[in-house]
Amino acid sequence: MLRIEFEAPKESRCACCQNTTVKLTRFVYQDDNAFAVYYAQFTPGHGEKRLSAMIGLGVWGEDAAGPESRLAFPFDIWLNGDNFQVGLSDAADSPWSGVTYLGRVIDREEALRHPWRADVFHITDHMVSTDPDIVKFFS
Ligand SMILES: [Zn+2]
């Protein structure tokens, strides 16, 4: 069972249009163990409702375990009619391509072959159904 901590969003200015960009950092627990961290950002003022995000999976919370014991999966979420689409992206195309805390950022090809992609899609299901800021953005 997954549990997500929802902290207050942070806001900044979009570099392209000066609209407000909303940035989320979420901590995900599975059976009360640290399981994943995700970042998400979106700009409600943009014409297209599209969210960029990245999920880090692996070992957390142990002093000896650093970012090298984790992998980060970058992706976008958008709506196609009533259906959420999740598209894995390449590290270079991610807003967090230089971030190492979530782990080594992997490209789409590697992500599609990786067994952890099932956990990624499990978490994205929760993101669009239970993360209040994401639900509000897409509603
Ligand atoms: Zn913009």
Side-chain angles (χ1 to χ4, degrees):
M1 162 162 186
L2 293 188
R3 181 173 59 82
I4 304 175
E5 275 180 7
F6 302 113
E7 294 174 14
K10 293 196 163 55
E11 296 188 345
S12 63
R13 295 270 150 232
C14 179
C16 82
C17 62
Q18 304 304 308
N19 276 306
T20 300
T21 295
V22 179
K23 299 186 177 195
L24 310 174
T25 300
R26 305 304 199 202
F27 298 90
V28 183
Y29 299 85
Q30 186 173 51
D31 303 325
D32 283 330
N33 298 309
F35 182 58
V37 173
Y38 67 80
Y39 298 148
Q41 71 174 46
F42 51 86
T43 305
H46 284 178
E48 186 191 15
K49 283 196 181 185
R50 193 176 186 99
L51 170 153
S52 295
M54 187 161 78
I55 294 174
L57 288 163
V59 181
W60 303 94
E62 293 168 27
D63 289 342
E68 65 278 2
S69 59
R70 301 189 278 270
L71 291 176
F73 295 72
F75 58 93
D76 283 0
I77 300 178
W78 65 97
L79 268 175
N80 184 4
D82 291 335
N83 297 313
F84 288 103
Q85 305 287 310
V86 179
L88 295 164
S89 46
D90 286 336
D93 298 330
S94 168
W96 301 280
S97 57
V99 171
T100 56
Y101 174 65
L102 296 198
R104 179 173 63 86
V105 183
I106 66 174
D107 285 335
R108 172 184 164 81
E109 278 304 311
E110 183 177 353
L112 286 170
R113 290 193 314 266
H114 201 285
W116 291 356
R117 73 187 182 285
D119 293 323
V120 170
F121 291 121
H122 182 197
I123 292 168
T124 61
D125 282 347
H126 282 259
M127 290 172 70
V128 299
S129 61
T130 66
D131 189 316
D133 293 290
I134 294 175
V135 170
K136 188 171 139 207
F137 172 59
F138 282 114
S139 66

